[in-house]
Amino acid sequence: MPLCGHLLPAVVMLLAGSPGWAWVPNHCRTPREAECNFVCDCRGCPDEAQCGYHGVSPSPGAPFTCDFERDSCGWQDISTAGYRWLRDRAGASPQGPQLRSDHTLGTDLDVAELRLELTHGAETLTLWRSPGPWGPDWQELVVPTGRIRGAFRVTFSATRNATHRGTVALDDVAFWRCGLPTSQAHCPLGHHRCRNEACVAHPQLCDGEDNCGDRSDEDAALCRHYVATDFEMGLGLWNHSEGWTRNRSAGSPRLPAWPRGDHTWNSAQGFFLASVAEPSAPAVLSSPKFQASAPHNCSLVFYHYLHGSEAGCLQVFLQTASPAAPQTPILLRRRHGELGAAWVRDRVDIQSRHPFRILLAGQTGPGGVVGLDDLILSDHCKPIPELASPPPGCWAPGPWPQPSSLRPRSFCKPGHFFCGDLCVPPEQLCDFQQQCPGGEDEQECGTTDFESPSGGGWEDASVGRLQWVRLPAPDRGGPGPDARRAAEVSCNFERGACGWHTGHLTDAHWHRVESRGPRYDHTTGQGHFVLLDPTDPPARGPAAHLLTQPRVPSAPQECLSFWFHLFGPQIGTLRLVMRREGEAETHLWSRSGTHGNRWHEAWATLHHQPDSGAKYQLLFEGLRDGYHGSMALDDVTLRPGPCWAPRRCSFEDSACGFSVGGRGLWTRQANASWGPHADHTTETAQGHYMVVDTSPQALPRGHAALLTSEEQRPLVQPTCLSFWYHLSLRNPGTLRVHVEEAGRQQVLSVSSRGGATWRLGSVDLQARQAWRVVFEAVAAGVEHSYMALDDLLLQDGPCPLPGHFALFETSVLGPGGRAAGLISQPLPPTAASCLRFWYHMGFPEHFYQGELRVVLSSAQGQLAVWGAGGRRRHQWLEGQVDVASAAEFQIVFEATLGGQPALGPIALDDVEYLAGQRCQLPTPSQGGGAAAAAVPAAVSGALLLLLLLLLLGVAGRRWLQKPGCPCRGEVDAMAPGFENILFRADRVTLPASITNDQ
């Protein structure tokens, strides 16, 4: 078994056995080392059964537990006397001492000794021991085990003598954070990849902890610039010591609070420093003299032990030396009180313009122990060589002056405060009455603006990596000195976060970061922006919040504009909402899925009640959908007045400001009994779209229903308007598109029989003035007919022409059994047509076990007509296949992966569909001639396609566009052909050169 954080048995005094080497049912044939390793390697977790806990952890990060309700979880009684452990039920025994209730369920203890031991290798450590007595209630015990290398077992031992007839009971044993880190396909930014493919943050490198699980983060070559002192062979660089002794657990006096082992090896044979100074005087350990470190950080990582007394204390001081004389030591860190029988990691960062030393002062309390181990200095901590005779003007070595705060004055009692000629007793400190002439006894009592290095007496009492640090506000983007700026919503994040702050209801947070590598800001390309990375830190909650302070509206309508960046195969959703006290949240805007590796602009109009004075709050919410991808925001602007009409509309949040006229025939709907069964955006029944009923009773023949947008800003260049429309199988009539500038001008007309799928329409636009788009549905007078619209998009530049290739990264699929599809627009029935294309597969042959296939999908089902396995690499190959279908159909290029994930792409280019023409045999010069192979494989109907898409979760369904752009006049919705577009990560996106959507 590997690393273990805490063993948490809820203890009091009846039952518990020590687990021997547990037998594990092994139906999936995992290696022996994978059994009982706190990782479920088999379905149902049989490899973790009978290991001292139930096999399945309920959720990531939750402990492996045993409540003894079903069985003993592999705990075994190895007692050698008549006093034995039994799995029992409260109140079940008819005689003898009984428990009133068990701990787990609360359904129905006097003197004994209970001991908890951990055995690994040839060594047994006593983790905890208590001689009693206990009361009649359940008590909780938390025991840190430290890093354990190799297999181990845990033993509970209870002893009693003939005069003690009491009962000892155990319940609800839990193992917390005991599994080793698991391998990751990709490491987040700022993380280090271990040899075992796990990922650790860079601050965890060379810190004396085996964070990787294979010690590769502590590798000697990696940490060659760090200086570590583990006290195994002496004091190392820390050779100025007074009051500290080098010691170990084995053979030492058996003090109740003495460490059971050192930190370095977690062994009773390992060495550490312990304070043996009197409680009235501190033990002082001094570093050598270091060179000035500024502008870099000299970092000290150290492990301390405070146990047995609330009066124990450890302080870290910095003493700098100017050319004149050493300065008074500055307190950097203070730890005091009872921290338990565990080694606690801490770190201090030092930037000094002058040479300096680091002092560690430990002060023991009655019965307590203060310990130090594994002092690790970073590469910017450079000792000054000791000189026989220093040159004039240098900091001459000599007796190191002891700071007055470390040594009590000889004429003041311990604990008294010295000022002038006075000794102030502890009870008169911080009593709101000055005893000292200068008021020094009331200066470190909590009143502070944090400008002083001492912090007004406030101390960081945190244990662990999350700590309070005193920082200058402008350097970290926190609240600045200008309160007016701190309330601003408009922000480019160059000088701070303005009026935006992160929410703390989840452990996923937005961070203000600087442009680096592929992550660049929108403002300058080299500045700052706010970023949500779902893997840094690993977040249990699904959402991260970025909020403003409550504010009063400046106008009845306000426009919020911003730039967003959504990129990655598991990007999730970015939402914008508005909050008012006492009201439900108003959903203003949202986007889901990857939008390419580029910035996009968005707007949202805020509507307020006139003269209400009610304050509101804006909230950006990032909802993750995995760990691959990141969200970013930049250049947020708030101005009075409404926004221009949005450049993109999916109708998921609202009608996007479209007006439907007096009769209101166009409606926004979802989960409807008529119209398209699913929208185009989400491809689910829950998705929204706009639809008009063109049946005679709703809209008589020849009558029209108008859908008009809000006013759009003038166009400075040719622009492409694209949209998806759905026409009923029964002829609904004609869908016309108009542009209103100075007058109304028709730019597109679609009139044809509909089908079962959404179709793409697009038109080139130019407008020198503010303009609107109008969709006009002219009814044909047919029963049960309709027209629907979804996913409107306005893009700079003309509508796209062919000229790009489609690319799919197979690594997003994960382990085998998954597929991704690239789907054409609906094509009319054909007796014989030819599909030609070029494809490229670039991945290691021994990894890939998948296939690229061509599938025909129609209402009659699916038919695979071509396929190629991944046995050729690094070249373009030609494929062609004859296509025939008696019904309307779509062509699907399907990438499947049957084995391990492959780090390589599948690419398509020069896709050509020749309607009514049979394919000709390729010439030998055509790319090495991968002959088109017909692979007839009739699969079950459309239900299987849906199942594949659900399993995938990362392959979006997008239809390819028609050649050219439709112009004015009648357009056949079933034009026989389609063009190439770009396919990245998990969905189809338009090429960056023509994309500038909202």
Side-chain angles (χ1 to χ4, degrees):
M1 285 186 182
L3 174 79
C4 200
H6 293 81
L7 174 69
L8 191 154
V11 111
V12 219
M13 305 182 336
L14 160 199
L15 148 99
S18 88
W21 303 110
W23 172 81
V24 180
N26 193 2
H27 303 299
C28 73
R29 299 179 182 176
T30 57
R32 179 64 180 175
E33 58 270 17
E35 298 172 0
C36 297
N37 66 345
F38 301 97
V39 176
C40 294
D41 299 292
C42 302
R43 183 184 298 275
C45 216
D47 53 310
E48 299 300 307
Q50 303 301 308
C51 296
Y53 47 82
H54 297 310
V56 180
S57 179
S59 62
F64 287 84
T65 63
C66 178
D67 57 15
F68 301 107
E69 297 299 322
R70 292 180 292 177
D71 53 37
S72 61
C73 308
W75 292 86
Q76 301 173 9
D77 176 39
I78 58 172
S79 306
T80 58
Y83 189 35
R84 308 187 66 84
W85 290 100
L86 301 172
R87 177 174 169 267
D88 207 348
R89 184 178 56 182
S93 178
Q95 56 186 350
Q98 298 181 15
L99 288 173
R100 291 196 293 268
S101 66
D102 82 320
H103 176 260
T104 308
L105 304 177
T107 59
D108 224 35
L109 274 160
D110 214 12
V111 178
E113 180 188 73
L114 182 64
R115 187 168 64 253
L116 175 61
E117 297 175 327
L118 185 145
T119 301
H120 64 105
E123 185 173 18
T124 297
L125 295 177
T126 299
L127 300 182
W128 176 82
R129 178 189 309 189
S130 177
W134 296 291
D137 298 320
W138 288 96
Q139 303 174 42
E140 184 181 54
L141 171 66
V142 179
V143 180
T145 66
R147 174 68 168 98
I148 306 169
R149 298 177 178 87
F152 70 95
R153 66 178 176 184
V154 178
T155 306
F156 286 100
S157 301
T159 59
R160 68 177 183 183
N161 57 35
T163 62
H164 294 152
R165 303 286 297 175
T167 303
V168 179
L170 295 172
D171 203 359
D172 290 339
V173 179
F175 293 85
W176 286 84
R177 298 186 295 276
C178 289
L180 291 175
T182 57
S183 61
Q184 305 291 328
H186 303 282
C187 285
L189 184 67
H191 282 62
H192 169 79
R193 178 171 290 279
C194 308
R195 279 197 294 264
N196 59 8
E197 303 299 316
C199 303
V200 298
H202 275 289
Q204 296 176 292
L205 299 178
C206 306
D207 68 345
E209 289 277 3
D210 182 11
N211 299 290
C212 285
D214 61 359
R215 295 199 61 81
S216 58
D217 57 316
E218 303 297 318
D219 183 75
L222 178 68
C223 304
R224 63 185 182 276
H225 298 300
Y226 291 74
V227 178
T229 303
D230 59 11
F231 304 112
E232 297 300 320
M233 304 300 294
L235 298 182
L237 293 176
W238 303 78
N239 52 13
H240 298 84
S241 172
E242 183 176 347
W244 293 96
T245 61
R246 180 170 162 267
N247 218 319
R248 60 181 179 179
S249 300
S252 299
R254 285 296 178 183
L255 300 177
W258 196 256
R260 65 177 180 272
D262 72 330
H263 173 265
T264 310
W265 302 105
N266 194 22
S267 170
Q269 305 300 323
F271 284 88
F272 54 88
L273 291 190
S275 170
V276 295
E278 296 295 327
S280 60
V284 180
L285 181 69
S286 172
S287 74
K289 297 182 289 290
F290 294 113
Q291 300 175 15
S293 62
H296 304 289
N297 273 336
C298 165
S299 299
L300 168 66
V301 174
F302 61 99
Y303 294 84
H304 56 83
Y305 182 95
L306 291 173
H307 184 41
S309 175
E310 290 290 344
C313 176
L314 178 70
Q315 300 178 90
V316 182
F317 290 90
L318 170 70
Q319 186 170 31
T320 60
S322 65
Q327 304 297 311
T328 302
I330 299 173
L331 179 65
L332 299 179
R333 188 65 45 83
R334 184 173 187 266
R335 294 285 181 261
H336 69 281
E338 172 61 75
L339 300 185
W343 291 98
V344 178
R345 179 189 187 273
D346 212 333
R347 170 176 169 157
V348 291
D349 295 318
I350 300 167
Q351 284 192 15
S352 176
R353 295 185 178 89
H354 303 289
F356 63 93
R357 277 181 173 170
I358 304 172
L359 308 179
L360 293 105
Q363 190 167 350
T364 60
V369 177
V370 178
L372 284 172
D373 202 1
D374 289 331
L375 278 58
I376 303 170
L377 294 162
S378 69
D379 54 344
H380 293 295
C381 305
K382 300 184 182 302
I384 297 177
E386 295 287 346
L387 300 176
S389 56
C394 290
W395 185 21
W400 190 258
Q402 297 293 342
S404 59
S405 57
L406 299 184
R407 299 285 183 186
R409 300 282 181 167
S410 59
F411 46 83
C412 286
K413 296 180 181 179
H416 285 55
F417 181 78
F418 175 78
C419 60
D421 296 327
L422 297 178
C423 292
V424 182
E427 60 271 14
Q428 292 183 346
L429 298 177
C430 299
D431 62 351
F432 302 99
Q433 295 183 10
Q434 292 187 9
Q435 312 294 331
C436 300
E440 295 92 339
D441 57 318
E442 302 296 322
Q443 287 181 354
E444 303 296 318
C445 300
T447 301
T448 183
D449 56 5
F450 295 106
E451 297 302 320
S452 168
S454 64
W458 290 91
E459 299 175 355
D460 177 27
S462 309
V463 176
R465 300 182 186 276
L466 187 61
Q467 298 176 346
W468 291 96
V469 180
R470 176 179 164 270
L471 292 172
D475 292 344
R476 295 299 176 121
D482 187 356
R484 183 166 54 86
R485 174 172 173 78
E488 291 180 0
V489 174
S490 299
C491 190
N492 62 10
F493 302 104
E494 295 306 314
R495 299 181 59 188
C498 308
W500 296 89
H501 64 277
T502 59
H504 296 283
L505 297 180
T506 69
D507 56 358
H509 300 299
W510 294 86
H511 298 280
R512 176 176 169 267
V513 298
E514 188 176 4
S515 300
R516 182 183 302 168
R519 291 179 170 177
Y520 57 91
D521 83 320
H522 174 262
T523 312
T524 65
Q526 300 177 345
H528 293 77
F529 58 97
V530 288
L531 172 73
L532 172 60
D533 187 337
T535 64
D536 184 22
R540 291 186 296 272
H545 295 161
L546 186 67
L547 309 96
T548 65
Q549 300 291 340
R551 56 181 288 112
V552 177
S554 61
Q557 288 183 318
E558 294 177 298
C559 177
L560 180 76
S561 64
F562 55 94
W563 289 80
F564 69 94
H565 193 287
L566 300 176
F567 182 58
Q570 297 176 336
I571 195 59
T573 300
L574 177 63
R575 299 173 61 235
L576 172 65
V577 300
M578 181 169 61
R579 292 175 173 175
R580 289 192 184 92
E581 186 175 356
E583 299 182 14
E585 291 183 346
T586 302
H587 196 141
L588 299 176
W589 175 93
S590 71
R591 289 290 178 269
S592 297
T594 185
H595 282 58
N597 190 19
R598 59 188 305 272
W599 289 96
H600 306 270
E601 189 177 11
W603 301 267
T605 300
L606 316 181
H607 299 274
H608 309 290
Q609 293 294 330
D611 303 323
S612 68
K615 292 185 177 182
Y616 70 96
Q617 190 177 28
L618 296 174
L619 164 68
F620 281 105
E621 182 180 45
L623 299 166
R624 75 178 192 194
D625 189 28
Y627 295 93
H628 300 291
S630 58
M631 303 181 184
L633 291 167
D634 201 3
D635 294 334
V636 181
T637 304
L638 181 68
R639 61 172 176 81
C643 300
W644 295 103
R647 296 171 66 89
R648 176 197 293 266
C649 181
S650 65
F651 301 109
E652 294 305 313
D653 308 321
S654 66
C656 303
F658 276 87
S659 60
V660 297
R663 299 178 60 186
L665 297 176
W666 284 92
T667 59
R668 174 175 168 266
Q669 73 174 22
N671 294 308
S673 58
W674 64 281
H677 69 278
D679 77 326
H680 178 262
T681 311
T682 67
E683 302 174 10
T684 65
Q686 292 73 38
H688 293 78
Y689 53 84
M690 297 295 293
V691 65
V692 58
D693 186 356
T694 54
S695 301
Q697 62 273 21
L699 191 65
R701 178 184 176 87
H703 287 225
L706 301 181
L707 182 66
T708 306
S709 75
E710 292 180 321
E711 199 169 53
Q712 292 274 3
R713 66 173 62 184
L715 302 176
V716 297
Q717 59 178 312
T719 304
C720 178
L721 171 66
S722 63
F723 56 93
W724 291 85
Y725 62 94
H726 196 294
L727 307 180
S728 59
L729 285 171
R730 296 173 177 267
N731 179 25
T734 303
L735 177 64
R736 297 171 180 165
V737 183
H738 306 268
V739 171
E740 283 188 352
E741 191 177 359
R744 179 179 295 183
Q745 180 183 15
Q746 179 178 315
V747 294
L748 181 67
S749 177
V750 177
S751 179
S752 66
R753 187 174 67 88
T757 60
W758 289 90
R759 303 168 188 275
L760 178 65
S762 59
V763 61
D764 287 312
L765 301 177
Q766 288 185 337
R768 298 180 179 273
Q769 305 174 21
W771 60 281
R772 303 174 190 267
V773 61
V774 180
F775 292 93
E776 180 184 29
V778 181
V782 178
E783 292 285 351
H784 307 297
S785 61
Y786 62 82
M787 302 183 194
L789 289 171
D790 202 1
D791 288 336
L792 279 64
L793 177 63
L794 198 64
Q795 302 168 306
D796 291 337
C799 292
L801 297 173
H804 294 76
F805 65 87
L807 175 68
F808 176 72
E809 278 287 353
T810 58
S811 60
V812 304
L813 288 179
R818 301 185 179 183
L822 185 65
I823 308 174
S824 77
Q825 67 180 33
L827 299 172
T830 179
S833 296
C834 180
L835 175 68
R836 292 178 180 172
F837 55 93
W838 288 80
Y839 65 96
H840 185 284
M841 296 184 179
F843 37 75
E845 297 175 7
H846 61 283
F847 264 159
Y848 191 75
Q849 300 178 17
E851 186 181 24
L852 175 65
R853 301 196 307 165
V854 176
V855 178
L856 304 185
S857 177
S858 68
Q860 299 175 350
Q862 288 187 300
L863 179 66
V865 296
W866 183 92
R871 296 181 177 84
R872 299 179 180 88
R873 52 190 297 194
H874 305 314
Q875 60 179 319
W876 284 98
L877 305 172
E878 185 183 21
Q880 62 178 13
V881 60
D882 287 315
V883 173
S885 177
E888 181 182 81
F889 68 101
Q890 292 174 280
I891 298 174
V892 182
F893 287 98
E894 184 180 74
T896 62
L897 196 62
Q900 294 297 320
L903 299 177
I906 296 178
L908 292 169
D909 200 6
D910 294 333
V911 181
E912 185 179 19
Y913 177 67
L914 304 175
Q917 302 181 29
R918 291 188 177 274
C919 295
Q920 303 295 324
L921 290 177
T923 63
S925 62
Q926 290 175 313
V935 185
V939 203
S940 62
L943 197 56
L944 179 58
L945 175 61
L946 178 60
L947 178 61
L948 289 172
L949 293 174
L950 289 176
L951 287 174
L952 220 190
V954 295
R957 184 181 164 200
R958 293 294 183 269
W959 286 265
L960 301 175
Q961 296 180 334
K962 309 170 194 175
C965 292
C967 55
R968 300 173 188 168
E970 299 294 324
V971 176
D972 186 355
M974 292 187 175
F978 56 91
E979 63 187 31
N980 300 338
I981 57 178
L982 182 64
F983 179 56
R984 295 199 62 173
D986 64 337
R987 61 175 60 232
V988 175
T989 60
L990 293 174
S993 60
I994 59 170
T995 307
N996 188 18
D997 52 349
Q998 176 188 349

